Amino acid sequence: MNTRFAQWASLSPWSIISFSFGGLKQLLTNGYALIPLVYTGWQQGFNSPWVLLVALGVCLLTLSYASLQWAWYRYRLQDAKLGIRQGLIFKRAQEIPLNKIQNVRLEQPLYFRPLGLYSLVVETAGSKRDEAVLAAVNYRQAMQLKKELFRAHTQKQSPIEQQIKTQLNHEIPKEGLVIAKDLKALMIFGLYQNNLIWLSLISGSILGQIDWENLQHNALVQGLLHWYQTHIATGLGYQALFILVTLTLVYLLLSLISMASSVLKYYPYRLSLRQGTLHRTGGVLAKQQDALRLHRVQTVRFEQPAIGRLLQRWTVHFEQVKGNEVEQLAKRHLLIPSMTRGDIAEMLPRLDDLATKANRLPSAFQGIHIGWFWRRALPLALLPLLLTPITGFTPFTQIVYGLTLLSLIGLYLHYRQWGYHLEGDDCWIHSGILGQSWQLVPLIKTQDVSISQTPGQKRHALATLHLGLASGPLVIPYIPLTEARLIAETALSLTRQDPKNWI
């Protein structure tokens, strides 16, 4: 261990900036929820002097609190542990074993870029937040710290083990650049990963501020309504086409935001492999350098949304211990965007420290039994049938019928895409509705296995298989009992013979 970091040390005073922004970020965690409030206040005016005084007071309190955080923050590396001390009134002391560290990220927020400083973020298994953040360190110091934090893992293997491993894998170059994504690939990623959910969070309140009565008398609006009544409202087909075109244009408009966000966050995307550790770099506004040890990966998920299926692009997620995500606690794991099947087949053989031996995506899967669908579809279909004699065939029941039909279609599509594929010591789980997802489960990572049966499943020799992993539970329902037992026995046999630390 480097003696330079063995004594208690404080952070640079520039870290006060990071602590200040962290405090403000906590206040603005629900940023989308604040947009309607700010919009409403803007409509009513911010003429009160109290607004300025409150804003200044918040800034001063944040800066004072950040200064106290910096003054009482100490860290050191000693006895294969990262020690952290912080807090004035509520003191907190941490001892993080180096061999339990999951990820080490190197970030450069926009406010640190002119200073050439970085933030070193340390994450451990099961943590719901960043375990430690060493802010305002220069690049050389950050890389030395990162090297020391990973030293415990690289010293575990003896020279003989390393030599054997090299001899077994000399055919494929393991080190160096694994994947690089250019501007085009990241824009495609932003297009097919577009998420429209956030629109519903802010649209209601903002639309409520619009003066609809005055808007109806607007000349432009009157002209649009006249054009719609003349050319669109004349036929049902025209109306359906108009709705489809409008939704497409809205999606493309929001996709511009998504594509810009993808480029700003990841460009230029580089994923490299060194000593069994993945290193990801990229970011335009805030540069990021993430590190993830491959042997800590629990499962690998290959996700393809509906638009991604049309473009034949996949997003690869390396899933770790549940509660510890690289992608800033957004329930997203370290990912590789915009991958083709060929890219995946080229990448997987290079990741030798993964617990899986798979080298390509499966082309087919064994589906679950249709009993899973009928058990859920029949109660759902009975709802409108029971409601009709009570309320009659009213507009309300018509809506219920429509929603029931859509739910049944979605349920059937989900059933058709749910299945599994056993490949050696790996189990692939397929799911989806319009999009699709493959979950690669190395059975050697399984912590617990259980098989359950309902009375109906017993009659048809079916069972539901539950796989417990550190990244979260997985379920394969309504599969043949013999197949469930085979997967369970394979997992138990592998874990019984493997003494390695899977975390």
Side-chain angles (χ1 to χ4, degrees), residues 475-496:
V475 178
I476 314 177
Y478 280 79
I479 64 175
L481 179 60
T482 54
E483 292 287 322
R485 286 175 175 170
L486 175 61
I487 297 174
E489 290 170 1
T490 303
L492 293 174
S493 175
L494 290 170
T495 54
R496 188 183 302 117

Side-chain angles (χ1 to χ4, degrees), residues 329-358:
L329 307 181
K331 295 184 179 180
R332 305 180 67 91
H333 305 264
L334 190 147
L335 61 84
I336 308 177
S338 196
M339 296 283 284
T340 64
R341 278 184 172 266
D343 294 336
I344 293 171
E346 189 177 319
M347 173 196 69
L348 284 177
R350 298 189 61 182
L351 307 182
D352 187 65
D353 281 341
L354 282 176
T356 174
K357 301 301 180 185

Side-chain angles (χ1 to χ4, degrees), residues 201-232:
L201 300 176
I202 63 175
S203 59
S205 299
I206 292 180
L207 291 175
Q209 300 298 319
I210 298 176
D211 190 347
W212 293 101
E213 293 184 1
N214 291 334
L215 190 64
Q216 291 178 357
H217 302 291
N218 184 276
L220 178 61
V221 174
Q222 290 289 337
L224 290 175
L225 288 175
H226 177 72
W227 175 84
Y228 179 84
Q229 293 292 337
T230 305
H231 298 88
I232 304 299

